[in-house]
Amino acid sequence: MPRRRAEAAQQRSGVRPTPGLDELDEQILWELARDADVTNAALAERVHVAPSTAHARVRALREAGVLGPSHADVDYRAVGLPLQAIISVRLRAQARTVIKTFAAKMVGHPNVLDVFFVGGQDDFLVRVVTTSPEQLRDFVAGPLSSDPVVASTHTQIVFDHLRGLDHWADADGFDELRGPLG
Amino acid sequence: MPRRRAEAAQQRSGVRPTPGLDELDEQILWELARDADVTNAALAERVHVAPSTAHARVRALREAGVLGPSHADVDYRAVGLPLQAIISVRLRAQARTVIKTFAAKMVGHPNVLDVFFVGGQDDFLVRVVTTSPEQLRDFVAGPLSSDPVVASTHTQIVFDHLRGLDHWADADGFDELRGPLG
DNA sequence: ACTGAAATTATGCGAGC
DNA sequence: GCTCGCATAATTTCAGT
């Protein structure tokens, strides 16, 4: 029986990181991050409160913006997008001011799953799914490198993706090792 | 009104990538990847079929393994984990056979959100959330670099994370630009 | 924060196309 | 074979306490 996820990640004694949230809120957040498909009744049982209480907490967390929308894992290979890649992008130093504008264009592209703004030599990482090596090349050569603000790119193929949260099934409930999803 | 997401990402004419899935299945998959919180009734309306039909499709997609579990976006800053990073890890050439074992240990760590197996110079990327720079340093110096199979690591701080799917609200339904979640 | 009632939704089955 | 509509079961939701 693993200890509570939040506590384990925080590795602290009794200090509450955010005064607005208590232990029950954190439990609910981790539970929904792990599996957002649970019914409110099942969620309530997992965190040991009445369904109405769990429901009220979830609503409050959503309104506070702490809890966002949920996303289902999809096997992109099944929808004709078997090739996944992470592309590191570096902008020209003078172009750093337009980084947000440029990233917004990226997330609007249908093949883009994630954009991570990072610190260091690169400016952001773009995770994409494509139909083929050709489409990946066209993406990197087209929307990405053709823009004059881009200084350089570095493409890494993604062979597999594991989710840390999936292995944190506490109490009752088991999850087998994640397959090719995500 | 944007054209269908799957079609846009695939950029094809009329070829179905997977014989098992039809257009309705793909629409449902994209819809749930974008927002898994929709009720079955609302999902049915979005894809223009009866609720029972949508329900049957979702069940079939889940049993086929094409549709996986859902995950709620959580603002990790609110739960005391404000520092996010992506760490590129390279293993010693001789240790490549144990890459899966090592990655499994990584995803079991409470601070790890994702592990991406990649091709190229690095072997995988690890996305983590931490309470502080000190905890991040301890993670990189401890579980990661202390293992003799690790040849080198490169840590990039994550300033922000945008999700491509959120901007693909078709038909009715709008999503404002994602904030700090994820 | 809990209990109980009312409204909404999910689920399974048989009919029709 | 796929979709639909209805009946039932389960869940959400909102009173009051």
Side-chain angles (χ1 to χ4, degrees):
Chain A
M1 176 162 57
R3 67 191 190 283
R4 281 186 37 251
R5 162 93 197 202
E7 197 184 311
Q10 291 163 195
Q11 285 181 212
R12 300 178 163 198
S13 25
V15 188
R16 202 107 300 285
T18 25
L21 301 185
D22 63 1
E23 195 175 306
L24 177 57
D25 288 316
E26 288 197 0
Q27 280 186 268
I28 288 172
L29 287 174
W30 285 113
E31 205 55 55
L32 293 179
R34 198 182 64 78
D35 180 14
D37 295 323
V38 291
T39 64
N40 181 63
L43 173 64
E45 196 176 359
R46 287 182 78 82
V47 298
H48 308 105
V49 291
S52 58
T53 304
H55 184 259
R57 293 299 189 110
V58 169
R59 175 171 289 276
L61 288 168
R62 280 203 196 281
E63 283 177 6
V66 175
L67 181 61
S70 303
H71 305 276
D73 289 336
V74 168
D75 186 348
Y76 290 103
R77 300 179 305 183
V79 292
L81 298 163
L83 184 59
Q84 196 165 140
I86 291 176
I87 308 161
S88 307
V89 179
R90 195 186 306 191
L91 301 183
R92 298 205 336 273
Q94 303 87 345
R96 292 274 154 71
T97 54
V98 300
I99 183 169
K100 281 193 168 183
T101 310
F102 186 74
K105 272 206 305 189
M106 284 297 105
V107 293
H109 196 282
N111 293 76
V112 173
L113 295 182
D114 296 285
V115 173
F116 298 97
F117 292 80
V118 294
Q121 295 184 314
D122 300 315
D123 289 293
F124 48 83
L125 273 45
V126 183
R127 185 160 72 106
V128 297
V129 281
T130 61
T131 59
S132 61
E134 288 74 26
Q135 197 192 34
L136 177 57
R137 168 179 51 79
D138 291 346
F139 177 82
V140 174
L144 223 51
S145 303
S146 71
D147 197 303
V149 303
V150 172
S152 69
T153 68
H154 177 224
T155 302
Q156 293 175 301
I157 305 297
V158 175
F159 296 127
D160 204 358
H161 175 201
L162 301 179
R163 230 179 254 272
L165 291 166
D166 288 358
H167 306 282
W168 278 85
D170 30 315
D172 44 282
F174 284 86
D175 295 48
E176 68 278 8
L177 207 78
R178 271 280 305 294
L181 303 176
Chain B
M1 174 163 57
R3 67 191 191 283
R4 281 186 36 252
R5 161 94 197 203
E7 197 184 309
Q10 291 162 196
Q11 285 181 210
R12 300 176 163 201
S13 24
V15 187
R16 203 106 301 287
T18 22
L21 301 185
D22 64 3
E23 195 175 305
L24 177 58
D25 287 317
E26 287 196 1
Q27 280 188 266
I28 288 172
L29 287 174
W30 285 112
E31 206 53 55
L32 293 180
R34 198 182 63 77
D35 180 14
D37 295 322
V38 292
T39 64
N40 181 63
L43 173 65
E45 195 176 359
R46 288 183 78 84
V47 297
H48 308 106
V49 292
S52 55
T53 303
H55 185 258
R57 292 298 189 111
V58 169
R59 173 171 291 277
L61 288 168
R62 280 202 195 280
E63 282 177 6
V66 175
L67 181 60
S70 304
H71 304 275
D73 289 337
V74 168
D75 186 348
Y76 291 104
R77 301 177 305 182
V79 292
L81 298 163
L83 185 59
Q84 196 166 139
I86 291 176
I87 308 161
S88 308
V89 179
R90 193 186 308 191
L91 301 184
R92 298 207 338 271
Q94 304 85 346
R96 292 272 154 71
T97 55
V98 299
I99 184 170
K100 282 193 169 184
T101 310
F102 186 74
K105 273 206 303 188
M106 284 298 104
V107 293
H109 192 99
N111 293 74
V112 173
L113 295 182
D114 295 286
V115 174
F116 298 98
F117 292 80
V118 294
Q121 295 184 313
D122 299 315
D123 289 293
F124 49 83
L125 273 45
V126 183
R127 185 160 72 106
V128 297
V129 281
T130 60
T131 59
S132 61
E134 288 73 27
Q135 197 193 32
L136 176 58
R137 167 179 53 78
D138 291 347
F139 177 82
V140 174
L144 222 50
S145 302
S146 71
D147 198 303
V149 303
V150 173
S152 68
T153 67
H154 177 224
T155 303
Q156 292 174 301
I157 305 296
V158 175
F159 296 127
D160 205 356
H161 174 201
L162 300 179
R163 231 179 253 274
L165 291 167
D166 288 357
H167 306 281
W168 277 85
D170 31 313
D172 45 281
F174 283 86
D175 295 47
E176 69 279 6
L177 207 76
R178 271 280 304 293
L181 302 177

